[in-house]
Amino acid sequence: MTDTTTTDLAAPDAGLPGGWQMVIGLEVHCELSTATKLFCGCPNQFGSEPNTNVCPVCLGLPGSLPVANDAAVTYAMRLGRALHCEVKPSVFARKNYFYPDQPKDYQISQFDQPTNIEGWLELPDGIRIGIERAHIEEDTGKTSHVGGGGRIHEAGYSLVDYNRAGVPLVEIVGKADLRTPEQARQYVAELRSIILAIEVSDAKMEEGSMRVDANVSVRKADEPYGTRCEIKNLNSLRSLVRALDYEARRQIELLEDGERVIQQTRHWDEADGRTHTLRSKEEADDYRYFAEPDLVPLDPSAETLAAIDASIPTLPADRRQALATAAGVTPVEAAMAVERGLDDLALAAIEAGANPARVMTHVEHNLAADEAVRLDAANFAGLVTMETSGELTATQAKQVLAEMVETGGEPGAIAAARGFEAMETGALESLVDEAIAADPEAWAKFCAGDAKVTGAFVGYVMKATKGQADGKAVTELLRRRAAG
Amino acid sequence: MSDPISRDDVAHVADLARLRLTDDELDHFTEQLAAVLEHARDVEALDVADVAPTAHPFELSNITRPDEVRPSLDRDEVLGQAPSTEAGQFRVPPVLGEAP
Amino acid sequence: MSPTSASTATAIAEAVRSGERSAREVVDEHLAAIEAREPELHAFNLVMADEARASADAIDRARAAGEQLGPLAGVPIALKDNLCTRGIPTTCSSRILEGWRPPYDATVVQRLAAAGAVAVGKTNLDEFAMGSSTENSAFGPTRNPHDTSRVPGGSSGGSAAAVAAGFAPLSLGSDTGGSIRQPAALCGVVGVKPTYGSVSRYGLVAFASSLDQIGPFATTVDDAALLLEVIAGHDPLDSTSIPQPAPSLRSELGRGVEGLRVGVIRELTGEGIAPDVARRVTAAADALAVAGAKVDEASVPAVAYGLSAYYLIAPAEASSNLARYDGVRYGLRVDASNSPEMMVASRTAGFGDEVKRRIMLGTYALSAGYYDAYYGKAQRVRTLIIRDFAAAYEDFDVLLSPTSPTTAFAFGDKTADPLTMYLNDICTIPSNLSGDPAVSVPYGVGDDGLPVGVQVLAPAMQEATMLRVAAALEASR
Ligand SMILES: [Mg+2]
Ligand SMILES: [Zn+2]
């Protein structure tokens, strides 16, 4: 985070009082889904018995040496390229600090020469958020606290499991370009879908394979950045939004009371909805970084980078754009379909001639994310066409679609089996006439412009057809009769 | 040219390195470290701004290994070396706070 | 104490392979020598008598079964106690690692076993290889076999003394700033610091990662070459290991020095070098000239900054490498009411003064505000040293200097002032900074009758030429 610029890429209303504005920068740690750890051959596996995926290297035993995992390096570069970063010649560095979950009491990370620098990520509304760097580092072990209700400060003692120590991470350091909690949420959601698209991580916030720390400060618009706090322990998008919201208000309250914000690390407590002080940053962390002498530089060739670029599929922003163009909607409106991985299905159906608006409605409301796989695009397009040609009502179409997903069947056959014969317009007209005749009093009201009685006629027709009639068509016929 | 290392510097460095020094040791080490750093002033005085640093005497790059699982260690053998263990884990006194 | 031809490693391996002698008989003989003199010398932290007999028996059985035996079949070898040996205590002569049994073998230890060598013990050293006299061992000093009132040099003092005393024809040491060559010189044996990256560091407990190299001690250049051939070569477990096949060395030794260009390093033969030592270097240069080499004076100006650069770089790396001794996973723990205090208590009790001194020096050199002035500067000076060596090697095939400024000194002589002790390494440090190989060859004695070593330096990966010159010196004695 740079502390002086006042460049404002995006300043949507965060709903803050008194002209205050938030400045948010996120640091996201993402565990790479390699088969082995970053510097040794131990399995990179979640949920094993404690201390079973360990060896001299990841335990930091005297004499052991790290050797970089080529898949981890490739994944990190792929992620960098997907974030439009420049992939640079890079070196590993040691970050020195003592802690029991850190086997060597230093972390192998990157410092002044990270693998990826200067990229960006595009939110659905087209705003670009800068990425300062995305560097490779190893994860730590896991400490659990025994006694004192598991709370770190009241524990009687702690237990350490090194299975996670040495798992490859990419730390994505975003620029302080975010201005609202909602933007922060979108940023993380977007980052997650990019990571999933390029298949470098399962990016599960709840399992810790994607972890978010937030740097937050507040200022009056156009003033220099204020003092920031770092918030840790954000385990879900919901926590992120709530924590940012809370923290901004806390800081504003301090400043409005004439106090100052102290630069510190704070912990989000989901249960009580507050952030709490972890420690003051003023005790200046001195990590004594220096180039890791046990490893050599990474310097990818042009061919390596070309191969990495070739391995990157179409990314969410481009997919949103493609769907938006095809469906005649905005990228924001196309976002949900892309986020749920239903955009290829939608595009194929539109391509096959289906009505784009109906396609988008089904994709947004009537299909779940994992259902696309069982749905044949041609059949889906067929269903939409039956619907728009009046062969099926909206209700029927929804039912047929559900069965198509269930059985993989063809829409015509399913409609026929269910007896969803397209109703003759003549048959519907005589039923409407029957309904009018059955309730002349209501009909008089309808003709006088009282729309409330419409339901009575539609209900009559529905009852007579066992719910198979198209409600909209009935209303339309009533209007035509009244107009005369 | 930097100031000579002070007693406070040595105390701070000992703290960073997780070492405890007695007052006598502090005096003693301050004097000794100052002598070594005094000798290093010849290096400190050199103008080598345009000389690239050497981290490795033999220049290598892109040394990696294939992403293939190798056997891990036997847990009992590993824990057998530890000062204190419990439930398959390393046991330590309370850690007081989160990692930086 | 001078080697009889039957006691060299090459002779023993040949005799064992041919069946002339059994490996067991060889080992028993050496264990007897150890038993006789080890109490006086304290070369070992651990004598592995049972394990040695068992592996000797296994070699004899393999021979009886008609199996092909390795190049070091039945040859006893002593291992510096900072090389990891599976299930066998590895202490680095530090309280903090007392009792630690590594769950794995160093790559060199595996290669030795595969070659048929028989490990007879773990040798004493300055704690974590920090020192030049082996006086910094937590388990007491090693004595020089030539004069037990003198130090054997260090940090691989135990390995040098073990070979000099005939406890084993071969031993391994590690050399970060001269820790093989200087004790070799002081104990009158051959000691080689190979090219950085030519011998795997996997399983060598790190002191300063960018400087550390494992290398051989032997009584003859031929034996040293034999051992180096066995341990050198690429290891995928060490990222800094040079991915090239190890060069063949022994076949080159007999080629003589006719036409080779030998430069005597001016900066390392004047001030600070005892006159009796300087005279032996001159004698060595003369002998090479007589043997047909072209000898001249060479200049490597930047070596003058070697000591300063070294005492910033090595402690900096060490301060980080030695952070892991925190009482959590292995080694000494001194209990306390919380983890930070436990770490402080364990480290304070577990490390000796020299180790603490270097950890603090290195922490200081890396700490915020000092990195550029110290560590960063030293890394640039390293480049200057590499450049100056490269320039010298345009005119010379090998360079010559003393190994150590003096012969073996008395216990306690230099312990009061660390800087005086550090000055012992002025001739050896430059090769660690440049990564180039160097060997110390015994070349007569000083005025006190104690051994003097002459150092032969060569460009990276030119061990064959370097050892050729060493062999010529050996032959001219
Ligand atoms: Mg990080
Ligand atoms: Zn491992």
Side-chain angles (χ1 to χ4, degrees), chain A residues 314 316-328 334 343 347:
Chain A
T314 311
D318 292 334
R319 287 163 55 187
R320 283 194 299 269
Q321 190 55 58
L323 181 57
T325 307
D343 53 324
L347 276 172

mmCIF file of all heavy atoms in Angstrom, chain A residues 314 316-328 334 343 347:
data_model
loop_
_atom_site.group_PDB
_atom_site.id
_atom_site.type_symbol
_atom_site.label_atom_id
_atom_site.label_comp_id
_atom_site.label_asym_id
_atom_site.label_seq_id
_atom_site.Cartn_x
_atom_site.Cartn_y
_atom_site.Cartn_z
ATOM 1 N N THR A 314 -10.100 -19.025 -21.124
ATOM 2 C CA THR A 314 -10.758 -17.709 -21.133
ATOM 3 C C THR A 314 -11.161 -17.367 -19.699
ATOM 4 O O THR A 314 -11.770 -18.172 -19.003
ATOM 5 C CB THR A 314 -12.008 -17.748 -22.023
ATOM 6 O OG1 THR A 314 -11.647 -18.329 -23.261
ATOM 7 C CG2 THR A 314 -12.549 -16.340 -22.254
ATOM 8 N N PRO A 316 -12.874 -15.132 -16.433
ATOM 9 C CA PRO A 316 -14.235 -14.668 -16.151
ATOM 10 C C PRO A 316 -14.586 -13.317 -16.796
ATOM 11 O O PRO A 316 -15.683 -13.183 -17.334
ATOM 12 C CB PRO A 316 -14.274 -14.580 -14.627
ATOM 13 C CG PRO A 316 -13.282 -15.600 -14.176
ATOM 14 C CD PRO A 316 -12.216 -15.622 -15.223
ATOM 15 N N ALA A 317 -13.679 -12.352 -16.762
ATOM 16 C CA ALA A 317 -14.031 -11.030 -17.313
ATOM 17 C C ALA A 317 -14.360 -11.140 -18.802
ATOM 18 O O ALA A 317 -15.325 -10.547 -19.277
ATOM 19 C CB ALA A 317 -12.878 -10.056 -17.093
ATOM 20 N N ASP A 318 -13.556 -11.932 -19.523
ATOM 21 C CA ASP A 318 -13.811 -12.091 -20.956
ATOM 22 C C ASP A 318 -15.075 -12.915 -21.192
ATOM 23 O O ASP A 318 -15.799 -12.701 -22.161
ATOM 24 C CB ASP A 318 -12.609 -12.765 -21.631
ATOM 25 C CG ASP A 318 -11.396 -11.841 -21.639
ATOM 26 O OD1 ASP A 318 -11.605 -10.607 -21.605
ATOM 27 O OD2 ASP A 318 -10.261 -12.345 -21.653
ATOM 28 N N ARG A 319 -15.292 -13.873 -20.297
ATOM 29 C CA ARG A 319 -16.507 -14.693 -20.430
ATOM 30 C C ARG A 319 -17.750 -13.836 -20.188
ATOM 31 O O ARG A 319 -18.758 -13.974 -20.882
ATOM 32 C CB ARG A 319 -16.445 -15.873 -19.465
ATOM 33 C CG ARG A 319 -15.443 -16.944 -19.922
ATOM 34 C CD ARG A 319 -15.050 -17.897 -18.820
ATOM 35 N NE ARG A 319 -16.211 -18.538 -18.209
ATOM 36 C CZ ARG A 319 -16.130 -19.315 -17.132
ATOM 37 N NH1 ARG A 319 -14.962 -19.550 -16.567
ATOM 38 N NH2 ARG A 319 -17.211 -19.861 -16.628
ATOM 39 N N ARG A 320 -17.661 -12.939 -19.215
ATOM 40 C CA ARG A 320 -18.800 -12.037 -18.966
ATOM 41 C C ARG A 320 -19.068 -11.186 -20.195
ATOM 42 O O ARG A 320 -20.203 -11.005 -20.614
ATOM 43 C CB ARG A 320 -18.500 -11.121 -17.776
ATOM 44 C CG ARG A 320 -18.640 -11.778 -16.431
ATOM 45 C CD ARG A 320 -18.663 -10.753 -15.314
ATOM 46 N NE ARG A 320 -17.461 -9.958 -15.232
ATOM 47 C CZ ARG A 320 -16.391 -10.283 -14.484
ATOM 48 N NH1 ARG A 320 -16.402 -11.383 -13.747
ATOM 49 N NH2 ARG A 320 -15.335 -9.510 -14.467
ATOM 50 N N GLN A 321 -17.990 -10.682 -20.773
ATOM 51 C CA GLN A 321 -18.136 -9.817 -21.934
ATOM 52 C C GLN A 321 -18.770 -10.583 -23.096
ATOM 53 O O GLN A 321 -19.675 -10.084 -23.771
ATOM 54 C CB GLN A 321 -16.762 -9.252 -22.323
ATOM 55 C CG GLN A 321 -16.808 -8.151 -23.359
ATOM 56 C CD GLN A 321 -17.731 -7.000 -22.936
ATOM 57 O OE1 GLN A 321 -17.537 -6.396 -21.878
ATOM 58 N NE2 GLN A 321 -18.771 -6.718 -23.732
ATOM 59 N N ALA A 322 -18.304 -11.808 -23.310
ATOM 60 C CA ALA A 322 -18.809 -12.608 -24.426
ATOM 61 C C ALA A 322 -20.300 -12.882 -24.257
ATOM 62 O O ALA A 322 -21.095 -12.727 -25.190
ATOM 63 C CB ALA A 322 -18.035 -13.922 -24.511
ATOM 64 N N LEU A 323 -20.687 -13.255 -23.055
ATOM 65 C CA LEU A 323 -22.090 -13.574 -22.809
ATOM 66 C C LEU A 323 -22.948 -12.310 -22.906
ATOM 67 O O LEU A 323 -24.048 -12.328 -23.466
ATOM 68 C CB LEU A 323 -22.251 -14.244 -21.431
ATOM 69 C CG LEU A 323 -23.671 -14.655 -21.041
ATOM 70 C CD1 LEU A 323 -24.273 -15.612 -22.087
ATOM 71 C CD2 LEU A 323 -23.696 -15.300 -19.661
ATOM 72 N N ALA A 324 -22.400 -11.206 -22.356
ATOM 73 C CA ALA A 324 -23.135 -9.947 -22.386
ATOM 74 C C ALA A 324 -23.426 -9.555 -23.836
ATOM 75 O O ALA A 324 -24.549 -9.182 -24.175
ATOM 76 C CB ALA A 324 -22.326 -8.858 -21.683
ATOM 77 N N THR A 325 -22.450 -9.669 -24.683
ATOM 78 C CA THR A 325 -22.616 -9.316 -26.095
ATOM 79 C C THR A 325 -23.674 -10.211 -26.748
ATOM 80 O O THR A 325 -24.581 -9.736 -27.414
ATOM 81 C CB THR A 325 -21.272 -9.460 -26.829
ATOM 82 O OG1 THR A 325 -20.295 -8.695 -26.115
ATOM 83 C CG2 THR A 325 -21.357 -8.968 -28.264
ATOM 84 N N ALA A 326 -23.569 -11.509 -26.503
ATOM 85 C CA ALA A 326 -24.485 -12.449 -27.142
ATOM 86 C C ALA A 326 -25.913 -12.264 -26.639
ATOM 87 O O ALA A 326 -26.876 -12.357 -27.403
ATOM 88 C CB ALA A 326 -24.024 -13.880 -26.887
ATOM 89 N N ALA A 327 -26.045 -11.995 -25.329
ATOM 90 C CA ALA A 327 -27.386 -11.947 -24.745
ATOM 91 C C ALA A 327 -27.959 -10.535 -24.750
ATOM 92 O O ALA A 327 -29.099 -10.337 -24.352
ATOM 93 C CB ALA A 327 -27.345 -12.485 -23.315
ATOM 94 N N GLY A 328 -27.159 -9.559 -25.152
ATOM 95 C CA GLY A 328 -27.630 -8.185 -25.153
ATOM 96 C C GLY A 328 -27.866 -7.645 -23.758
ATOM 97 O O GLY A 328 -28.809 -6.904 -23.516
ATOM 98 N N ALA A 334 -24.426 -10.319 -16.761
ATOM 99 C CA ALA A 334 -23.938 -11.636 -17.183
ATOM 100 C C ALA A 334 -23.103 -12.305 -16.090
ATOM 101 O O ALA A 334 -22.756 -13.479 -16.183
ATOM 102 C CB ALA A 334 -23.096 -11.494 -18.444
ATOM 103 N N ASP A 343 -22.158 -20.026 -18.287
ATOM 104 C CA ASP A 343 -22.100 -19.154 -19.457
ATOM 105 C C ASP A 343 -21.897 -19.907 -20.762
ATOM 106 O O ASP A 343 -22.455 -19.527 -21.792
ATOM 107 C CB ASP A 343 -21.026 -18.067 -19.280
ATOM 108 C CG ASP A 343 -19.676 -18.643 -18.919
ATOM 109 O OD1 ASP A 343 -19.643 -19.639 -18.168
ATOM 110 O OD2 ASP A 343 -18.655 -18.103 -19.382
ATOM 111 N N LEU A 347 -24.359 -19.472 -23.839
ATOM 112 C CA LEU A 347 -23.857 -19.050 -25.147
ATOM 113 C C LEU A 347 -24.245 -20.043 -26.235
ATOM 114 O O LEU A 347 -24.697 -19.656 -27.318
ATOM 115 C CB LEU A 347 -22.336 -18.919 -25.104
ATOM 116 C CG LEU A 347 -21.784 -17.601 -24.565
ATOM 117 C CD1 LEU A 347 -20.274 -17.695 -24.411
ATOM 118 C CD2 LEU A 347 -22.149 -16.439 -25.488
#
